[in-house]
Amino acid sequence: MSEKRALEGNEAVARVAYAVSEICSIYPITPSSPMAESADVWSALGKGNIWGHVPDIIEMQSEGGAAGTAHGALQTGALTTTFTASQGLMLMLPNMYKIAGELTSTVFHVASRSLAAQALSIFGDHQDVMAARTTGFGLLAASSVQAAQDLALISHASTLQARVPFIHFFDGFRTSHEVSKIDLVSEDEMRVMIDNDLVYKHRYRALNPDNPFIRGTAQNPDVYFQGRESVNSFYAATPGIVQDMMDRFKKLTGREYKLFDYYGDPEAERVIVLMGSGAETVMQTIDAMPDEGVGMINVRLYRPFSNEHLFAAMPGTTKSIAVLDR
């Protein structure tokens, strides 16, 4: 029987991220700040991760510094994470392109929020993570506090095998600050999900004068695009890896996730496609009108996007599709 506890989304995610990391590089930005704050407090209190070591929490002077620290730490073979939102994520983009291009395993946890344009807004939108689509990071979306905790662990397990780094995101305030009673993932379950052999492989890829490896080269146009194409096999394999991790998680906890979770009438003619906290509202609406022939697809893995898994989740009776933005 799993332990139940009332947690806000940020703490639920930070609890997992801290437990499976050795370094957390941080800089606060609303509404992601409590994740970094929790990690900082736990480290100061001497709380260990699942291997019994106290993670190092490194606060920089901007999110750009936090991303640079994460990139450098990853090159030493350390298990590293960070937390951010909005303009903070924008400052991380340059390092994210390099991290993804070097096929480096990591997870950035994002409490998704609008970007400041004509005015500052700290409230809900997916503008920030949408601006990171071209970095090469995978994007895994959580729609509730329970899912945010669970997908945090699934993303950390997946990135170690896929070598594709991930943004794990959930809706700022709506999920990050929602207090919900959830089934906690235990440390034993985390240890099962995080494969130590994959951790050793991550270590082995560290820059080390005793194991020389060239990285950070310059390329002319004749080979640059070949380099970009060379990672395709890793991205093609990622959806299957994430689903395998979700299946492993189900065996441990009984909670089931799919890359595209379907809910509603199995013979629906009208299907709503969306991701994030709006899915919870749509599920309640479907329950309130069971005879209307409506279904919903909750997108979990947004990048790399798998058409195969999407079509498999969609009823063959579908006639019309409504895609909802955040």
Side-chain angles (χ1 to χ4, degrees), residues 22-275:
E22 296 166 303
I23 293 178
C24 303
S25 56
I26 63 172
Y27 188 81
I29 183 170
T30 303
S32 70
S33 300
M35 287 188 281
E37 182 181 5
S38 294
D40 202 10
V41 169
W42 294 330
S43 179
L45 293 174
K47 179 180 173 64
N49 57 23
I50 60 172
W51 299 283
H53 303 296
V54 178
D56 291 321
I57 311 301
I58 304 169
E59 183 171 358
M60 302 301 290
Q61 292 180 310
S62 77
E63 293 87 354
T69 298
H71 187 195
L74 290 166
Q75 294 301 319
T76 71
L79 299 172
T80 309
T81 191
T82 188
F83 318 99
T84 194
S86 188
Q87 251 70 12
L89 182 60
M90 299 303 96
L91 290 171
M92 294 185 174
L93 294 180
N95 280 283
M96 292 170 68
Y97 275 93
K98 288 293 290 178
I99 290 168
E102 293 160 356
L103 292 171
T104 311
S105 301
T106 188
V107 180
F108 288 11
H109 298 277
V110 176
S112 193
R113 191 195 104 184
S114 60
L115 292 174
Q118 74 275 16
L120 171 68
S121 174
I122 62 172
F123 298 108
D125 206 283
H126 289 162
Q127 288 181 58
D128 48 10
V129 294
M130 291 299 106
R133 285 178 293 180
T134 56
T135 59
F137 270 58
L139 278 85
L140 197 61
S143 56
S144 65
V145 176
Q146 182 73 67
Q149 175 208 240
D150 296 347
L151 293 181
L153 180 56
I154 288 168
S155 61
H156 277 278
S158 297
T159 190
L160 284 169
Q161 182 170 342
R163 291 188 59 190
V164 171
F166 276 86
I167 293 172
H168 165 239
F169 72 96
F170 45 95
D171 292 350
F173 290 116
R174 179 60 186 88
T175 303
S176 67
H177 285 67
E178 176 189 340
V179 176
S180 181
K181 193 172 187 178
I182 66 171
D183 293 306
L184 287 185
V185 174
S186 70
E187 288 198 357
D188 287 340
E189 289 167 337
M190 293 184 205
R191 290 188 189 96
V192 173
M193 288 293 294
I194 303 299
D195 187 332
N196 281 336
D197 287 339
L198 295 176
V199 174
Y200 294 142
K201 289 180 180 178
H202 177 71
R203 290 265 196 276
Y204 184 77
R205 291 191 291 268
L207 290 176
N208 185 332
D210 296 324
N211 180 32
F213 185 85
I214 190 167
R215 197 170 288 163
T217 60
Q219 295 172 336
N220 287 332
D222 54 342
V223 296
Y224 173 77
F225 198 74
Q226 293 179 46
R228 297 306 295 137
E229 291 286 311
S230 69
V231 301
N232 286 350
S233 60
F234 291 89
Y235 285 85
T238 296
I241 289 170
V242 175
Q243 188 58 63
D244 287 345
M245 291 301 173
M246 289 174 166
D247 294 342
R248 183 189 296 185
F249 186 84
K250 179 187 176 184
K251 290 179 182 178
L252 282 174
T253 67
R255 295 190 293 280
E256 183 175 12
Y257 295 95
K258 295 187 180 301
L259 306 188
F260 299 90
D261 275 325
Y262 184 80
Y263 187 85
D265 187 342
E267 298 182 349
E269 294 186 354
R270 293 177 292 168
V271 175
I272 297 168
V273 180
L274 77 167
M275 62 183 172

